[in-house]
Amino acid sequence: MTFRHRDGTRVHLAYCTNVHPAEDAEGLHRQLRVFGAGVRARLDADRIGLGLWLPAPLAARLAAEPAELDRLRSALDEHGIEVVTLNAFPYRGFHAPVVKKAVYRPDWTEEERLGYTLDCARVLTGLLPDDAARGSVSTVPLAWREPWDAGRHGAARAMLDRLAEGLAKLEAETGRTVRVGLEPEPGCIVETVTEAVELLAGVDTRRIGVCLDTCHLAVAFEDPAGAVAALAEAGLPVVKAQVSAALHAAEPADTDTRAALARYTEDRFLHQVRELPPGDGAVAARDDLPQALEGPAALPGSGPWRVHFHAPLHQRPEPPLDTTTDHLERTLAELFAGPEARTDHLEVETYTWSVLPERFRPTGDAELAAGLAAELRWAAGALGRAGLTETEKETA
């Protein structure tokens, strides 16, 4: 699905396949048949976008085997799918029974992270549609915050310099441009847009920028207008934006609210929590939802909570919980309000379908495909409200 900004920019919308657990080539091709084609049929669209997640071994294989990459591109064409962006944040094992902080390793101090990211970029140059201006890859925001020191920071910055060199070499070889966006996330070295501006100063902005995840932005209680303006002033490009929503609890001290939040505790993913205290106090932080709810480190609940749990865009959780879709829509409005589009790649990234409370959890492939289609339909409507025109409707 593609849209047009008034400056003429072609804006691509996709859903991210890190919602699917497959980690080999055959599993990937099944995703395209069952979910890619299934979602496209439900939307009655000529073509839809997928933001592929390729585990490291599969990315390496596709980068090294042209015949396997050609097979993948043929399958995309067969099922009416375009790929302009890859999610290279999780390295592998994203649907293991317990993921938690393992998702941040390897980090940007480690050679494996550089090799994986460049493999993904190389694969993407072979998948980009002919009419796509460029490709994008999202990645870890340097590392989890601990352990960290000046030596590790210097190593990570040197690795980003090598990344830029590798991307430039790849463009010279293939004629296709790929940019990489570091994705600010609660608890990481680059947690907020403010930290991105500070810690990424001096990177090669022709190749490297930010992946703006709207769930993470909301969890940090960052103002959309201020965040987008700060990135523009710093010259950091929004390489892509992930269209996602967090859980919101207006009165987390309320007994019913805490019971509702407890239904979102689970063992696989990390669900960071932030509390906005009354007045001008600093945002309080906990690394996971169970820690915030109970025990000696429990948050007081004196102000609203935002929880890093990617909630389906088109449906509300059980009251008294809500989501941050209003914050998401304000972010989209800021990205596209000016005379120039601030990004051209958008990716719906709700990877948490399998760990939702049971009443919201899909019971099979068909229900999941229907949910993914509903999210894309919601996102398309939000883009329309932000002033974009769907290209299929330009001449209607």
Side-chain angles (χ1 to χ4, degrees):
M1 301 174 74
T2 57
F3 298 78
R4 190 83 63 185
H5 186 264
R6 60 180 174 274
D7 69 355
T9 297
R10 187 181 178 90
V11 178
H12 301 261
L13 174 66
Y15 91 78
C16 183
T17 66
N18 65 356
V19 64
H20 306 307
E23 299 221 1
D24 59 19
E26 295 314 309
L28 174 59
H29 282 269
R30 181 182 181 278
Q31 289 174 16
L32 303 183
R33 292 193 306 271
V34 174
F35 297 106
V39 169
R40 184 177 65 81
R42 283 168 171 80
L43 294 172
D44 193 26
D46 291 336
R47 183 168 291 267
I48 66 163
L50 294 188
L52 292 185
W53 171 58
L54 302 175
L58 180 54
R61 179 183 174 188
L62 290 168
E65 298 181 17
E68 192 64 34
L69 187 58
D70 288 344
R71 177 182 170 228
L72 176 56
R73 174 146 189 172
S74 295
L76 294 172
D77 291 340
E78 175 186 352
H79 296 300
I81 297 166
E82 71 164 22
V83 173
V84 302
T85 189
L86 298 186
N87 186 326
F89 196 128
Y91 186 75
R92 65 186 305 177
F94 191 53
H95 288 265
V98 179
V99 178
K100 301 293 183 179
K101 294 177 184 176
V103 75
Y104 307 110
R105 298 294 304 274
D107 61 36
W108 275 103
T109 68
E110 300 173 86
E111 289 283 345
E112 292 87 349
R113 176 60 63 177
L114 175 63
Y116 170 49
T117 308
L118 288 174
D119 281 343
C120 286
R122 181 169 292 278
V123 169
L124 187 54
T125 63
L127 300 180
L128 283 173
D130 293 339
D131 61 353
R134 56 198 165 206
S136 64
V137 176
S138 51
T139 187
V140 173
L142 296 183
W144 185 251
R145 69 178 183 275
E146 298 169 335
W148 198 254
D149 56 26
R152 287 174 61 79
H153 185 75
R157 287 303 303 262
M159 205 73 77
L160 292 183
D161 290 341
R162 291 172 60 192
L163 171 65
E165 292 168 2
L167 294 172
K169 181 180 179 182
L170 186 61
E171 181 174 356
E173 292 176 4
T174 66
R176 307 308 304 265
T177 299
V178 175
R179 301 189 298 176
V180 171
L182 281 78
E183 181 182 331
E185 177 165 324
C188 292
I189 293 299
V190 181
E191 175 165 340
T192 64
V193 165
T194 300
E195 290 174 341
V197 168
E198 176 187 352
L199 296 175
L200 300 181
V203 298
D204 182 350
T205 54
R206 296 168 298 173
R207 315 284 177 190
I208 298 172
V210 167
C211 169
L212 191 64
D213 186 305
T214 59
C215 170
H216 303 172
L217 192 73
V219 169
F221 289 95
E222 290 194 87
D223 172 61
V228 173
L231 290 170
E233 184 176 351
L236 269 178
V238 181
V239 168
K240 73 191 245 189
Q242 287 177 324
V243 183
S244 55
L247 283 178
H248 178 85
E251 298 182 2
D254 172 69
T255 301
D256 290 341
T257 300
R258 296 182 84 82
L261 285 167
R263 288 192 278 274
Y264 286 84
T265 61
E266 53 87 21
D267 294 333
R268 179 173 297 153
F269 301 119
L270 200 64
H271 300 297
Q272 301 92 315
V273 182
R274 299 294 182 264
E275 177 177 315
L276 186 67
D280 297 325
V283 172
R286 296 295 183 269
D287 286 342
D288 209 353
L289 182 55
Q291 179 190 19
L293 284 169
E294 297 181 4
L299 289 171
S302 57
W305 286 10
R306 303 265 175 87
V307 183
H308 178 217
F309 194 115
H310 288 227
L313 301 179
H314 65 292
Q315 65 186 27
R316 297 292 188 183
E318 291 180 297
L321 299 183
D322 204 345
T323 69
T324 59
T325 51
D326 57 340
H327 188 280
L328 160 57
E329 292 219 47
R330 295 202 329 264
T331 306
L332 292 175
E334 292 298 331
L335 287 170
F336 299 113
E340 297 181 355
R342 295 296 186 189
T343 190
D344 55 353
H345 292 175
L346 300 170
E347 179 182 66
V348 174
E349 196 212 14
T350 307
Y351 57 82
T352 48
W353 284 92
S354 64
V355 295
L356 286 168
E358 191 169 352
R359 65 163 293 191
F360 296 116
R361 197 178 303 166
T363 58
D365 293 347
E367 282 193 16
L368 178 55
L372 296 170
E375 284 201 288
L376 281 173
R377 193 177 295 113
W378 185 96
L383 292 177
R385 292 187 289 277
L388 300 186
T389 303
E390 193 169 353
T391 56
E392 290 182 1
K393 299 177 181 177
E394 285 180 335
T395 57

